[in-house]
Amino acid sequence: MSMFCYQCQEAAGNKGCTGSAGVCGKKDETALLQDVLIYTLKGVSFFAEKLETGKYEGGLVTAGLFKTITNANFNDDIFEEEITKALALKADLRARVIAKGIDISNAPSAALWEPKYVSEYELQGTIASILATKNEDVRSLRELIVGGLKGVAAYVSHAGALDNFNMDIYKFMFKALAATTDDTKTVDELVGLTLECGKYGVECMALLDKANTDAYGHPEISEVDLGVRKNPGILISGHDLKDIDELLKQTENTGVDVYTHSEMLAAQYYPAFKKYSHFAGNYGNAWWAQKEEFDKFNGAIVMTSNCMVPPTDKYIDRIFTTGETGFKGVKHIGNHDFSEVIAKAKTCAAPTEIETGKIVGGFAHEQVFALADKVVDAVKTGAIKKFFVMAGCDGRQKSRSYYTDFAEALPQDTVILTAGCAKYRYNKLNLGDIGGIPRVLDAGQCNDSYSLVLIALKLQEIFGLESVNDLPIAYNIAWYEQKAVIVLLALLYLGVKNIHLGPTLPAFLSPNVAKVLVDNFGIAPIGEVGEDLKLFMGEAV
Ligand code: FSO
Ligand code: SF4
């Protein structure tokens, strides 16, 4: 049995990664264990759905789903441990379901699997494989749902780190995961469940937004330095704000500066973090350039979530993981105790400068609402003709230069609304401003796409429009991993139409499922910059 994975945009040949390793560096054995973990969590969910369950069950499913997101965890030992934990929970839930006299005669193999030894885990790979679902439309919808749930899990996990939970989201996870094992579900039912997943996408982004802003205040317009200072540094990447909060506290007065990387750039916009004088700027670019940039950073590096690239020998001894992130041989930090990271940083040279200058961000919902009059005036006077939501992810494929070219080609009377690491394709260009409103408004991380939704809904209200689709907003979204899947499903759930998705449509969309999305939501792939621009600006192509 060899791996088969097609969950991200870089799936080999836009079909799927097979053989000994995926494009992301995930090894065959790891991929099989991930499949078996998901399979086991489906079994857990089959029983959990039938019971009054709590935080433990939801937390375990969330953690497991998050660990299997692209570029989150590459450590086989961790996956074996997670499967063992999930099996123990499953046995317990099963006993509780039986004790209640609930009929389980329709239990799927995922619920009934009870291996005795860890050595049996990998052997289950064939049965747990995505390819075990033979009907390609059913498989496609199942994977769309599981992908969306992984995105939900990531956001729920970051909210949970700040003690924010929502049992309804956990319950939906159980229901949806269990449904992906149910062979009686029709394609229509699975389409319905996919849209319901979008509803919980909105809920989990709202939950995380509340968690982040309650704890750290509302993001505000901020200038972020791209250069370096003279002290040794710690570079923190990923999405977890609780981690950077603790790191900033623990590094105070240590002579070590803290820099953000990739998605952690958004931390620079929060009042609670801006107050620290040792909080330096943002170093580097989107996740995929990390091998070279981490080498040049010289100091300690903390990965709080995906996207992690398998580290090179040049920095493997100074990189650390937290949360659900992991890599064999890389020290994992538990309980937010960063003392080892700080000790390591003190032995390192200061970062090598790779860029200079500043960028501006912090345009999350409250900040944009504060500017609403200015923005509305600009729209009314025609100074702003159109907004382009260009949120999502960046990736290493050359074809992603489309997004830089597209941003550069946009007319001067347009504004880009962005969130996620997709912005690194254009956030350092000099695109100017419109009457003081920057032409790139960065709301923050991919989950802060929620802010973009709130901004759109606010504009709809101000302009008294019936539908969010009547606004002068176009959607040209770049995707890479499963968090982008849940952001997309959330937008579809909110009724947003005509989203362009690139650089390629997901490999896991079968032709029929892709057709459903095209026919009902007007989803379209990207084309050539000039033609796409004409299409978006409403000019004849
Ligand atoms: Fe990027 Fe990676 Fe935020 Fe993703 S760093 S690609 S959608 O994990 O999470 O945007
Ligand atoms: Fe391939 Fe993406 Fe799966 Fe990695 S996560 S194995 S690159 S499809």
Side-chain angles (χ1 to χ4, degrees):
M1 172 71 199
S2 129
M3 68 182 285
F4 179 80
C5 179
Y6 64 174
Q7 68 175 355
C8 84
Q9 189 275 326
E10 293 185 359
N14 206 32
K15 287 197 163 55
C17 294
T18 57
S20 58
V23 173
C24 60
K26 177 166 75 177
K27 300 241 163 65
D28 186 17
E29 307 81 56
T30 318
L32 292 189
L33 288 170
Q34 289 189 356
D35 285 351
V36 174
L37 174 57
I38 296 293
Y39 172 80
T40 314
L41 296 178
K42 288 178 178 180
V44 167
S45 297
F46 173 82
F47 295 118
E49 197 201 354
K50 301 182 186 324
L51 293 165
E52 271 304 309
T53 42
K55 272 190 195 170
Y56 178 74
E57 292 83 354
L60 185 131
V61 170
T62 298
L65 284 167
F66 191 3
K67 282 187 174 77
T68 67
I69 275 193
T70 301
N71 293 338
N73 202 310
F74 297 84
N75 190 340
D76 292 1
D77 297 347
I78 296 290
F79 286 108
E80 286 181 354
E81 275 172 30
E82 289 292 307
I83 295 167
T84 303
K85 267 197 272 173
L87 285 168
L89 174 62
K90 182 157 70 73
D92 175 54
L93 293 173
R94 185 184 183 185
R96 283 166 56 195
V97 166
I98 291 171
K100 283 195 155 199
I102 299 169
D103 176 28
I104 55 163
S105 56
N106 64 342
S109 72
L112 299 175
W113 182 55
E114 284 181 350
K116 286 203 176 58
Y117 306 105
V118 172
S119 56
E120 293 173 60
Y121 293 179
E122 235 177 274
L123 298 175
Q124 196 71 0
T126 311
I127 293 168
S129 168
I130 290 160
L131 296 176
T133 302
K134 297 297 173 207
N135 178 313
E136 72 163 348
D137 298 328
V138 173
R139 185 195 310 147
S140 174
L141 286 163
R142 286 179 174 179
E143 291 316 306
L144 184 53
I145 292 165
V146 171
L149 290 175
K150 290 185 183 190
V152 170
Y155 296 154
V156 162
S157 166
H158 295 305
L162 293 167
D163 286 329
N164 281 248
F165 300 92
N166 178 338
M167 269 315 293
D168 289 343
I169 300 179
Y170 286 156
K171 281 184 188 156
F172 176 73
M173 282 179 168
F174 302 147
K175 179 176 101 167
L177 275 179
T180 64
T181 65
D182 183 349
D183 292 332
T184 68
K185 288 266 180 269
T186 63
V187 164
D188 282 351
E189 285 173 316
L190 290 173
V191 169
L193 199 61
T194 306
L195 289 184
E196 200 182 345
C197 197
K199 172 178 182 246
Y200 287 94
V202 177
E203 300 248 331
C204 72
M205 282 192 275
L207 183 75
L208 181 53
D209 182 80
K210 185 181 178 315
N212 286 340
T213 55
D214 280 358
Y216 307 121
H218 285 283
E220 52 194 33
I221 302 177
S222 310
E223 269 201 340
V224 181
D225 193 5
L226 300 176
V228 298
R229 300 180 184 176
K230 296 207 160 40
N231 293 328
I234 296 173
L235 186 58
I236 178 163
S237 189
H239 303 71
D240 200 282
L241 296 191
K242 175 73 177 166
D243 276 330
I244 191 165
D245 176 20
E246 290 295 332
L247 181 65
L248 283 166
K249 281 183 194 149
Q250 293 170 36
T251 43
E252 235 186 333
N253 304 319
T254 59
V256 173
D257 290 331
V258 173
Y259 293 78
T260 53
H261 170 259
S262 193
E263 280 281 70
M264 198 56 91
L265 163 62
Q268 303 269 0
Y269 312 150
Y270 285 84
F273 305 140
K274 287 169 72 173
K275 66 180 186 215
Y276 292 103
S277 60
H278 68 294
F279 192 17
N282 192 66
Y283 191 87
N285 292 279
W287 63 271
W288 57 272
Q290 67 187 245
K291 280 192 181 169
E292 279 163 35
E293 293 178 350
F294 287 180
D295 176 25
K296 294 201 171 102
F297 183 73
N298 304 327
I301 301 145
V302 180
M303 302 301 299
T304 69
S305 69
N306 60 331
C307 280
M308 180 179 190
V309 171
T312 69
D313 290 345
K314 289 184 174 156
Y315 60 86
I316 195 161
D317 63 329
R318 54 184 169 88
I319 187 166
F320 300 81
T321 56
T322 68
E324 308 313 335
T325 318
F327 193 92
K328 208 166 185 166
V330 166
K331 173 84 190 174
H332 190 78
I333 304 294
N335 299 323
H336 303 109
D337 176 0
F338 291 104
S339 46
E340 256 187 86
V341 181
I342 298 166
K344 172 57 86 176
K346 285 181 174 169
T347 68
C348 297
T352 304
E353 192 150 79
I354 53 174
E355 282 173 298
T356 54
K358 290 190 191 308
I359 49 175
V360 177
F363 295 92
H365 49 90
E366 292 309 300
Q367 180 64 84
V368 175
F369 293 171
L371 296 172
D373 289 349
K374 215 172 172 182
V375 174
V376 169
D377 270 358
V379 174
K380 282 186 177 157
T381 61
I384 296 178
K385 207 170 180 186
K386 203 156 202 157
F387 297 94
F388 283 82
V389 171
M390 289 179 70
C393 325
D394 197 8
R396 55 196 133 200
Q397 285 179 349
K398 283 211 164 56
S399 57
R400 287 188 185 255
S401 60
Y402 165 94
Y403 294 101
T404 311
D405 298 343
F406 188 87
E408 279 182 318
L410 278 171
Q412 288 300 314
D413 52 8
T414 57
V415 168
I416 296 173
L417 302 175
T418 194
C421 61
K423 63 175 145 283
Y424 284 97
R425 287 283 166 177
Y426 46 80
N427 68 343
K428 294 169 187 172
L429 301 174
N430 189 7
L431 296 179
D433 65 85
I434 299 174
I437 303 167
R439 287 197 52 236
V440 178
L441 300 182
D442 176 24
Q445 300 177 338
C446 46
N447 44 290
D448 295 312
S449 298
Y450 177 69
S451 262
L452 305 184
V453 165
L454 292 189
I455 292 164
L457 294 174
K458 186 70 161 183
L459 289 175
Q460 180 191 350
E461 182 193 312
I462 293 173
F463 288 109
L465 299 171
E466 232 167 71
S467 158
V468 75
N469 294 303
D470 297 335
L471 285 164
I473 302 182
Y475 295 82
N476 196 1
I477 289 178
W479 84 286
Y480 170 59
E481 46 90 348
Q482 299 79 56
K483 281 180 260 179
V485 173
I486 195 58
V487 171
L488 175 73
L489 294 180
L491 290 174
L492 298 186
Y493 168 74
L494 291 167
V496 174
K497 296 255 182 351
N498 303 323
I499 296 172
H500 285 235
L501 191 63
T504 52
L505 290 185
F508 54 78
L509 293 183
S510 67
N512 286 331
V513 172
K515 191 171 179 315
V516 170
L517 296 180
V518 172
D519 292 350
N520 294 301
F521 300 102
I523 293 233
I526 58 167
E528 188 269 320
V529 170
E531 304 289 289
D532 284 0
L533 253 180
K534 283 186 198 162
L535 201 72
F536 281 123
M537 298 305 286
E539 298 161 21
V541 181

